[in-house]
Amino acid sequence: MSTTTTSIKYEDIPLNRFHVRVAIAGSGGQFSDGFVLGIVGIVLASAKQDLQLTPLLTGLLGAATLSGLFLGAVITGPIADRIGRSPIFRFDMLLIACLSISQFFIQEAFQLLAIRLVIGLVLGADYVVSKTLVTEHAPRHFRGKLLSMLAVAWAAGYVFAYLAGFLLSGIGDEPWRFMLIASAIPELIVFAFRVGIPESPLWLLLKGKTKEAAAIVARVAGPNVEMPTLPVAGVRKQTRYRELFSSQYRRRTIVGVVFYVCQVIPYFALGTFAPQIMAALGATNSLAAGATYNVFLLTGAIVGMIIVDRLSRRLFLIGSFFIGALLLAALVVLSPSSTVLAVILFAAFALVLAAAANLEFIYPPELFPTEIRASGLGIVTAGSRIGSAASTFLLPIVLAGLGINVALFACVGVLIIGGLVCWLWAPETRRESLVTLDRATNIKHPAGRV
């Protein structure tokens, strides 16, 4: 009597501890990134006298890491598509930890500026490889929730940075030094946790390394897994970045960049300077109001993780843009009548924006095929960091020269632009296969259809 063993497709394998481990390893990098970016707002307030910070220097330091992220993402995308995701993923956190420690010893603002730029460069690399590796290891039906762990971890790092800054604010004559060095702790923990994470089987198959891919799949998912069929990479007729703007992928690339840019501009601009904004709106305890904003960022990320696989990607994208714009416009109009109402609206806006930020970790990897996924993430991330760096640099200058209402209405305009572009062009990707995406063309949606 013979028995037959039923095989299962690679993208439909059950969720197991390995997938959770990869997601946690990727999430640790995002926690560290959120911490590094979140701590700078409190550091700049604490170090203003010690480093003699002018509004221009404050803007430059606030935007430095984000500018580095742009360069790191642009450079890393094609490299990760060429040499793999795992080599960068395993060791970048160690380098960032060493750079974080070096911040303790700076004496001048320009020294801190240089270190923050390099930290951003390495973080940009981690953005690309973390999202790509988690995406390509994740089973299709759990991809949204596993990638949402990265979003929650980022928000948690951002919030914990604020709390750490508050707790360290009374240490020594220059507490900002301890705030800066604190980020090395999670970075070293993440580095240790990433040791042993294998390469993406999809990338290995693409490079013709079938035996290596099969060995990894058998080790993490069992022997009866049907390996996906991917084209072996050949001689490229055009560069990966040119391919991203070819007729096949141009619309997806534009949507990815625009949606990401329009989300992060208000996220970073308002989050980095939340205490100053709440003070401008009349909150007597601006630090407490800023803390409320950050708590709702974390809450929103968790809410987003819960609902992300219950909504279509398009509905989540479009709805969050327009609801966020409505809340922010209401904040400008109604804040003069009540400081309490201003804090409530600001917190509600943070919740919506943070829930939608889950899509920054899920949607871009789903837009691109394996062969150019890291490059696609690189260009999308780079575009977003141009927007976030520019807004973080300009916000304190706009606040000082034109006032809070102009700054907030500018963010409303950005959100409306993001909603309109997604309404017109964004494809639905929730049920797309990462394997068959290599042969997919753009999915067109008539305007207004969600």
Side-chain angles (χ1 to χ4, degrees):
M1 182 176 178
S2 61
T3 59
T4 59
T5 302
T6 303
S7 63
I8 186 171
K9 292 183 178 180
Y10 169 74
E11 59 189 331
D12 295 321
I13 58 179
L15 185 71
N16 60 38
R17 279 187 283 182
F18 169 76
H19 300 126
V20 176
R21 180 189 172 191
V22 174
I24 292 174
S27 299
Q30 296 305 312
F31 180 94
S32 299
D33 176 59
F35 195 101
V36 167
L37 294 175
I39 199 70
V40 70
I42 304 175
V43 167
L44 294 177
S46 176
K48 186 174 182 179
Q49 296 299 326
D50 296 327
L51 296 179
Q52 299 179 345
L53 299 180
T54 63
L56 177 61
L57 277 173
T58 300
L60 286 172
L61 286 168
T65 306
L66 295 168
S67 301
L69 273 161
F70 160 75
L71 292 173
V74 169
I75 294 169
T76 303
I79 294 174
D81 279 332
R82 188 162 53 247
I83 71 169
R85 294 74 160 103
S86 182
I88 301 170
F89 182 78
R90 290 180 184 177
F91 298 105
D92 56 12
M93 283 293 114
L94 178 60
L95 178 55
I96 297 173
C98 294
L99 290 166
S100 296
I101 293 170
S102 71
Q103 295 176 111
F104 185 86
F105 304 100
I106 65 103
Q107 298 298 322
E108 303 288 343
F110 77 88
Q111 295 172 332
L112 181 59
L113 179 64
I115 295 173
R116 299 291 295 183
L117 279 168
V118 179
I119 287 176
L121 189 75
V122 187
L123 283 174
D126 191 70
Y127 256 75
V128 171
V129 294
S130 288
K131 292 180 184 178
T132 304
L133 198 60
V134 174
T135 298
E136 293 177 355
H137 275 304
R140 172 169 42 186
H141 297 296
F142 298 94
R143 192 190 306 152
K145 284 189 169 54
L146 289 177
L147 285 164
S148 287
M149 289 176 61
L150 276 68
V152 173
W154 193 97
Y158 201 78
V159 172
F160 272 88
Y162 199 94
L163 296 176
F166 180 77
L167 293 173
L168 294 171
S169 60
I171 296 181
D173 295 329
E174 297 177 328
W176 53 271
R177 294 187 185 274
F178 297 94
M179 297 175 193
L180 287 170
I181 201 174
S183 61
I185 297 173
E187 290 153 6
L188 290 172
I189 294 172
V190 175
F191 164 68
F193 200 83
R194 287 184 175 186
V195 174
I197 298 292
E199 184 57 81
S200 159
L202 291 181
W203 182 85
L204 290 169
L205 286 170
L206 185 68
K207 297 300 181 181
K209 300 179 181 181
T210 308
K211 291 183 179 179
E212 293 178 40
I216 291 172
V217 171
R219 176 158 58 92
V220 305
N224 301 314
V225 177
E226 182 182 333
M227 298 292 290
T229 302
L230 291 176
V232 177
V235 178
R236 305 189 66 82
K237 297 180 180 179
Q238 55 187 340
T239 66
R240 288 178 172 86
Y241 282 145
R242 287 192 64 182
E243 189 170 350
L244 287 169
F245 289 96
S246 67
S247 59
Q248 187 175 8
Y249 299 113
R250 183 187 304 123
R251 182 170 292 186
R252 288 179 175 240
T253 303
I254 293 172
V255 166
V257 171
V258 171
F259 122 78
Y260 210 158
V261 167
C262 291
Q263 276 197 352
V264 299
I265 283 177
Y267 195 112
F268 281 109
L270 303 185
T272 301
F273 300 103
Q276 293 93 319
I277 291 170
M278 295 313 299
L281 290 171
T284 54
N285 191 338
S286 59
L287 191 61
T292 301
Y293 177 85
N294 280 280
V295 168
F296 272 83
L297 283 180
L298 179 56
T299 304
I302 296 171
V303 170
M305 181 174 68
I306 294 170
I307 68 174
V308 68
D309 282 332
R310 301 181 183 184
L311 301 174
S312 76
R313 302 289 193 247
R314 277 179 55 82
L315 179 61
F316 202 172
L317 278 170
I318 297 166
S320 60
F321 273 123
F322 288 127
I323 293 172
L326 182 63
L327 287 170
L328 203 54
L331 174 66
V332 178
V333 174
L334 300 177
S335 60
S337 63
S338 170
T339 301
V340 173
L341 182 60
V343 173
I344 292 172
L345 287 170
F346 202 42
F349 170 76
L351 191 147
V352 171
L353 200 64
N358 280 265
L359 292 169
E360 296 170 11
F361 297 82
I362 300 168
Y363 195 59
E366 292 178 345
L367 287 172
F368 304 107
T370 302
E371 189 175 13
I372 57 171
R373 181 166 293 118
S375 297
L377 282 174
I379 201 72
V380 169
T381 301
S384 74
R385 270 36 194 174
I386 293 175
S388 56
S391 61
T392 305
F393 169 70
L394 290 173
L395 186 69
I397 299 172
V398 173
L399 282 174
L402 299 175
I404 183 65
N405 287 350
V406 172
L408 293 181
F409 267 126
C411 289
V412 171
V414 168
L415 291 167
I416 291 174
I417 291 170
L420 289 173
V421 169
C422 289
W423 178 56
L424 291 170
W425 287 349
E428 177 55 51
T429 62
R430 183 159 67 107
R431 299 191 183 280
E432 279 192 354
S433 165
L434 295 181
V435 176
T436 57
L437 181 60
D438 291 87
R439 297 182 293 277
T441 58
N442 288 335
I443 300 175
K444 298 180 179 179
H445 294 268
R449 179 182 174 185
V450 177

